[in-house]
Amino acid sequence: MEFKKFKAATVQTAPVYLKVSATVDKAVNCIKEAHQNGATLIAFPEVFIAGYPYWNWIMTPVQGSTWYEKLYRNAVAIDDPEMQPLYQAAREFNMHIVIGINERGLSYGEIYNTNLIIDNQGTVIGRHRKLVPTWAEKLTWSSGDGSTLKVYDTAVGPLGTLACGENTNTLARFTLLSQGELVHIANYISLPVAPPDYDMAEAIKIRAAAHSFEGKLFTIVSCSTISQEIKDALRGDVPNIDALLDRKSSAFSGFIGPNGAVIGTPLIDEEGIVYADIDLSKCIQPKQMHDILGHYNRFDIFDLRVNIAPTRKITFVENNEKET
């Protein structure tokens, strides 16, 4: 049996706010840099293309409605021409990519918080739509369904992903673990407007460590930052924007090993790309103590059922009975 070894990269930076092509170009530059440093997997933040709806937290819903339209106008479909440079970069630089997008739904005005899984041939092999938008995010995104709660077989190993707060969802995480996940991508946004006693960076680390320790796997965390450009864009509607979005310890990006410990030095708030060497054979020994997918569980007692059918918005029924 082959135990894969590879170098992974994770990005902590801000998008070019509400500008799809410019953000894709920024992502391609990161991919090129990661390739030059020997990486074959790179993780990008939640909804990196092309930005997070911060207005939901700092404006009234009425004020934020014009920003919702701006976000929708900068939402993308997987096959949009603006997305093609990303897929070309995956092929050219032999890179597996997990990246967050604002995905246009089929209904006009509908947006999903989606993570794309792109293989090193430039093929979108999967997408995960965030199951439950968190708190104020419900003003923006539709909910995903169980059909995108999958683990993908890739050249770097069995790979799964969850976005931000759903990394606290025990059943969602177990669903990925039960499919053999060994590499987990958890991507986030910086959220300085959290309650005063909430350390966002520490909370991200705790969630990642919990998943790695419970499942005995590697977790790669990518978090966005808030740029001056983002603050300046929102300043006209929120004059005290700096006081709201300048809080420290709001972003964490890095790597967690199968023992739940941080690998290397993570990025806290600062922008950059960090790397780690991943050896999936390190997932074996910890399973002897706690294998919640095998000997350390009781499936005769516990029974988790997951509905993986896509949501059906309408069912047409035809009455074929003949009238007499």
Side-chain angles (χ1 to χ4, degrees):
M1 181 177 180
E2 180 186 6
F3 301 108
K4 299 181 187 298
K5 296 180 180 180
F6 61 94
K7 178 176 280 189
T10 188
V11 179
Q12 183 157 283
T13 192
V16 184
Y17 203 49
L18 301 183
K19 295 178 182 176
V20 171
S21 293
T23 301
V24 169
D25 288 344
K26 185 172 185 176
V28 169
N29 288 334
C30 292
I31 292 165
K32 182 178 180 180
E33 180 179 336
H35 168 74
Q36 291 170 343
N37 285 292
T40 54
L41 169 65
I42 188 169
F44 286 93
E46 180 183 20
V47 289
F48 188 64
I49 302 173
Y52 181 81
Y54 283 104
W55 52 86
N56 286 348
W57 302 89
I58 56 179
M59 299 181 196
T60 68
V62 174
Q63 288 175 307
S65 64
T66 58
W67 286 95
Y68 177 86
E69 182 173 340
K70 291 177 183 178
L71 184 67
Y72 180 72
R73 289 177 179 272
N74 287 277
V76 295
I78 291 173
D79 57 357
D80 277 357
E82 293 90 344
M83 295 292 289
Q84 299 309 311
L86 195 66
Y87 310 145
Q88 182 179 342
R91 289 191 299 272
E92 181 178 353
F93 299 114
N94 186 36
M95 192 72 67
H96 298 79
I97 304 166
V98 177
I99 189 167
I101 66 171
N102 287 283
E103 183 192 7
R104 289 197 312 273
L106 294 178
S107 175
Y108 199 58
E110 181 181 44
I111 314 174
Y112 290 94
N113 178 331
T114 298
N115 282 343
L116 294 186
I117 302 95
I118 305 163
D119 71 10
N120 60 341
Q121 303 303 308
T123 302
V124 178
I125 59 173
R127 66 179 174 188
H128 171 68
R129 288 175 169 175
K130 193 171 187 178
L131 297 175
V132 182
T134 305
W135 204 349
E137 294 173 358
K138 293 179 175 67
L139 291 167
T140 294
W141 293 310
S142 297
S143 295
D145 59 43
S147 68
T148 71
L149 198 56
K150 294 181 179 179
V151 170
Y152 299 91
D153 186 22
T154 74
V156 294
L159 189 152
T161 182
L162 293 172
C164 201
E166 63 181 352
N167 284 282
T168 67
N169 188 323
T170 306
L171 302 185
R173 294 192 295 104
F174 187 84
T175 300
L176 296 181
L177 294 176
S178 70
Q179 296 174 65
E181 183 186 45
L182 292 178
V183 182
H184 180 75
I185 310 296
N187 57 4
Y188 290 80
I189 50 88
S190 174
L191 191 62
V193 293
D197 59 348
Y198 191 81
D199 186 324
M200 181 67 173
E202 183 66 16
I204 292 172
K205 184 180 76 172
I206 289 170
R207 280 180 269 197
H211 189 59
S212 279
F213 186 82
E214 289 172 7
K216 313 308 181 192
L217 80 170
F218 289 90
T219 296
I220 303 170
V221 181
S222 175
C223 188
S224 63
T225 58
I226 298 176
S227 63
Q228 188 65 44
E229 177 198 24
I230 293 173
K231 292 187 292 183
D232 289 344
L234 300 171
R235 193 180 306 278
D237 290 308
V238 187
N240 63 332
I241 192 76
D242 296 299
L244 292 169
L245 297 185
D246 276 350
R247 182 172 161 188
K248 299 299 183 183
S249 197
S250 294
F252 173 102
S253 294
F255 304 87
I256 310 291
N259 59 355
V262 175
I263 300 171
T265 303
L267 292 169
I268 305 294
D269 295 335
E270 299 299 322
E271 293 201 347
I273 305 176
V274 288
Y275 301 87
D277 291 316
I278 305 297
D279 179 358
L280 296 187
S281 70
K282 300 295 185 184
C283 300
I284 300 172
Q285 262 192 348
K287 286 288 191 79
Q288 187 176 19
M289 182 179 293
H290 305 125
D291 182 4
I292 62 172
L293 303 169
H295 67 78
Y296 207 68
N297 218 322
R298 289 290 302 276
F299 296 110
D300 57 328
I301 300 173
F302 304 113
D303 180 13
L304 173 62
R305 302 187 182 197
V306 182
N307 180 5
I308 60 170
T311 298
R312 299 180 64 175
K313 297 182 178 180
I314 188 169
T315 301
F316 292 97
V317 179
E318 182 177 354
N319 187 345
N320 293 318
E321 293 182 8
K322 295 181 179 180
E323 293 185 3
T324 58

